[in-house]
């Protein structure tokens, strides 16, 4: 790599978690390429990142188009050098009951949120495999494990991404590859997507509480890129959702049926004429934070998934040991 800094690619890098992540990598001394659809968002993000002193490349890309992603990856390596870290953040969603969704809406959310990450992964692998090094970070969600009502398209796409990632990870292990693959599962984040998302509900929507600032997610994603644990579960609610769904899925079905409708809606009526980002970028909203900063937390617990397994096994072992001792005493 000569004197070049390390290179990171961030998809969906002009707003929310993607923009916060791109900025964090730039602040850590990386040269950064951001892939997103809107020229306005690209321009303002490139300007913000260039203030960190490194090289920055903004490329207009719809990640659902594999050919566009492949061309962008080629441009990144030609202009910045070999990609060390590729972070798939780009997503979109439609918030509506299943009965009000259309087949085209499901396809579009899947094309961007799931297949967009697959396209990014394939482009990264094509370049990393001959070098036998590099790190791919998938941005997941608590909803990849525990679906909630009104977000069927997004939940399904994130669950699909987790399935794809698990399969690829086993293949990389089989091939004794030194390419690292990691996934960060996020809680509710204060991003502008709640102004952008297609919303068929009567009221404006909000993240499921507790809500965290995008910088919390960015720090976790950078940590994942640095250490490459199997998965990071970010935030207490993520931990509770994943473990709760493993232990009490039926109970959670009923709990979410009661609480998740009102929990995702504010008291403000939605404007039926507001633009959304499903097919075209929305201008004038490319910023890091959403409108929930007053209630958003700046810190969250971060747990490596394998440590949860070790802890659960240890607790189970202690429980079995206690039962065994109790039986011995009663003999």
């Amino acid at each position: 790599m000569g004197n070049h800094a390390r290179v990171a690619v961030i998809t969906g890098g002009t707003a929310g978690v993607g923009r916060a992540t791109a900025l964090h990598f730039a602040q850590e001394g990386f040269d950064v390429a951001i892939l997103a659809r809107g020229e306005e968002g690209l321009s303002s993000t490139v300007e913000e990142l260039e203030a960190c002193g490194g090289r920055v490349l903004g490329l207009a890309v719809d990640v659902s188009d594999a050919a566009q992603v492949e061309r962008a990856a080629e441009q990144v390596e030609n202009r910045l050098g070999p990609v060390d870290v590729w972070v798939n953040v780009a997503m979109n969603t439609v918030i509506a009951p299943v009965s009000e969704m259309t087949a085209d809406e499901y396809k579009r959310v899947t094309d961007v949120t799931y297949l967009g990450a697959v396209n990014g992964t394939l482009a990264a692998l094509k370049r990393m495999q001959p070098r036998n090094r590099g790190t791919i970070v998938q941005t997941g969600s608590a909803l990849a494990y525990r679906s909630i009502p009104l977000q069927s398209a997004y939940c399904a796409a994130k669950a699909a991404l987790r399935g794809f990632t698990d399969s690829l990870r086993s293949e990389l292990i089989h091939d004794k590859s030194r390419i690292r693959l990691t996934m960060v599962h996020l809680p509710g984040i204060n991003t502008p997507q709640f102004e952008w998302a297609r919303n068929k509900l009567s009221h404006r929507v909000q993240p499921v509480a507790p809500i965290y600032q995008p910088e919390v997610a960015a720090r976790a994603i950078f940590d994942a890129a640095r250490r490459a644990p199997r998965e990071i579960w970010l935030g207490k609610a993520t931990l509770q959702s994943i473990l709760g769904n493993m232990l009490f899925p039926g109970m959670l079905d009923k709990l979410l049926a009661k609480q998740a409708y009102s929990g995702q809606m504010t008291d403000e009526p939605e404007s039926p004429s507001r633009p959304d980002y499903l097919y075209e970028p929305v201008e004038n909203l490319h910023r890091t934070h959403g409108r929930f900063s007053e209630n958003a937390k700046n810190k969250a617990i971060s747990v490596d998934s394998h440590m949860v397994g070790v802890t659960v096994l240890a607790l189970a072992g202690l429980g079995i040991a206690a039962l065994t001792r109790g039986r011995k005493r009663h003999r």
Side-chain angles (χ1 to χ4, degrees):
M1 287 178 63
N3 295 321
H4 287 317
R6 293 165 294 171
V7 175
V9 177
I10 318 293
T11 74
T14 58
V17 170
R19 188 164 181 156
T21 300
L23 181 60
H24 194 99
F25 272 88
Q27 290 169 337
E28 292 287 343
F30 278 75
D31 290 337
V32 178
I34 48 174
L35 278 51
R37 290 179 299 173
E39 294 287 357
E40 180 195 71
L42 284 165
S43 176
S44 66
T45 308
V46 166
E47 187 177 338
E48 182 180 16
L49 267 56
E50 283 179 336
C52 298
R55 296 180 301 163
V56 183
L57 179 62
L59 297 171
V61 176
D62 184 332
V63 295
S64 71
D65 185 328
Q68 288 187 36
V69 177
E70 171 60 25
R71 284 195 298 271
E74 194 69 20
Q75 285 180 269
V76 172
E77 295 224 329
N78 286 340
R79 294 173 63 178
L80 298 182
V83 174
D84 296 283
V85 179
W86 187 293
V87 186
N88 289 306
V89 185
M91 54 74 66
N92 65 16
T93 188
V94 176
I95 301 170
V98 171
S99 60
E100 295 182 26
M101 293 284 294
T102 68
D104 284 345
E105 287 169 339
Y106 276 115
K107 184 178 186 304
R108 181 60 181 166
V109 174
T110 303
D111 284 349
V112 174
T113 306
Y114 169 49
L115 292 176
V118 171
N119 293 337
T121 302
L122 293 176
L125 283 173
K126 180 177 177 180
R127 286 147 186 89
M128 293 176 178
Q129 282 178 323
R131 302 190 285 262
N132 198 27
R133 62 177 171 83
T135 303
I136 299 169
V137 184
Q138 313 288 29
T139 306
S141 168
L143 306 186
Y145 281 92
R146 175 62 247 187
S147 293
I148 61 174
L150 307 177
Q151 292 209 48
S152 57
Y154 180 79
C155 293
K158 287 298 186 183
L161 179 56
R162 182 168 68 92
F164 166 80
T165 301
D166 288 352
S167 186
L168 173 59
R169 185 185 296 107
S170 292
E171 292 178 15
L172 292 173
I173 293 168
H174 171 271
D175 296 342
K176 297 181 173 56
S177 173
R178 294 174 64 189
I179 297 168
R180 306 186 307 165
L181 181 64
T182 179
M183 193 165 193
V184 182
H185 292 294
L186 302 182
I189 304 289
N190 174 35
T191 75
Q193 69 145 316
F194 299 93
E195 314 304 311
W196 295 1
R198 179 167 293 186
N199 175 24
K200 298 188 179 183
L201 307 181
S202 58
H203 288 73
R204 296 178 80 186
V205 289
Q206 63 185 359
V208 177
I211 305 167
Y212 299 89
Q213 292 289 28
E215 289 80 6
V216 176
R219 290 194 296 270
I221 290 168
F222 185 81
D223 181 44
R226 184 175 59 84
R227 297 189 298 111
R230 187 179 188 278
E231 291 185 350
I232 288 177
W233 298 352
L234 184 66
K236 182 175 70 173
T238 300
L239 191 64
Q240 291 171 334
S241 296
I242 295 172
L243 293 178
N245 196 57
M246 290 175 180
L247 298 170
F248 314 110
M251 187 178 78
L252 279 180
D253 290 342
K254 293 172 183 174
L255 184 68
L256 289 166
K258 288 180 180 178
Q259 297 181 358
Y261 280 70
S262 60
Q264 294 183 76
M265 285 188 276
T266 68
D267 294 330
E268 305 165 83
E270 179 60 281
S271 168
S273 60
R274 121 174 128 68
D276 65 62
Y277 70 165
L278 194 61
Y279 295 101
E280 300 292 337
V282 176
E283 303 298 353
N284 304 316
L285 282 173
H286 286 85
R287 55 181 187 269
T288 303
H289 300 97
R291 66 181 196 275
F292 308 102
S293 288
E294 195 174 299
N295 299 315
K297 302 174 185 291
N298 290 305
K299 291 182 180 178
I301 62 166
S302 177
V303 181
D304 291 0
S305 58
H306 75 274
M307 292 305 299
V308 178
V310 169
T311 304
V312 170
L313 285 172
L315 290 172
L318 288 171
I320 292 167
L323 282 170
T324 304
R325 285 195 300 271
R327 284 176 181 169
K328 285 179 178 176
R329 281 198 299 270
H330 283 93
R331 282 176 183 168

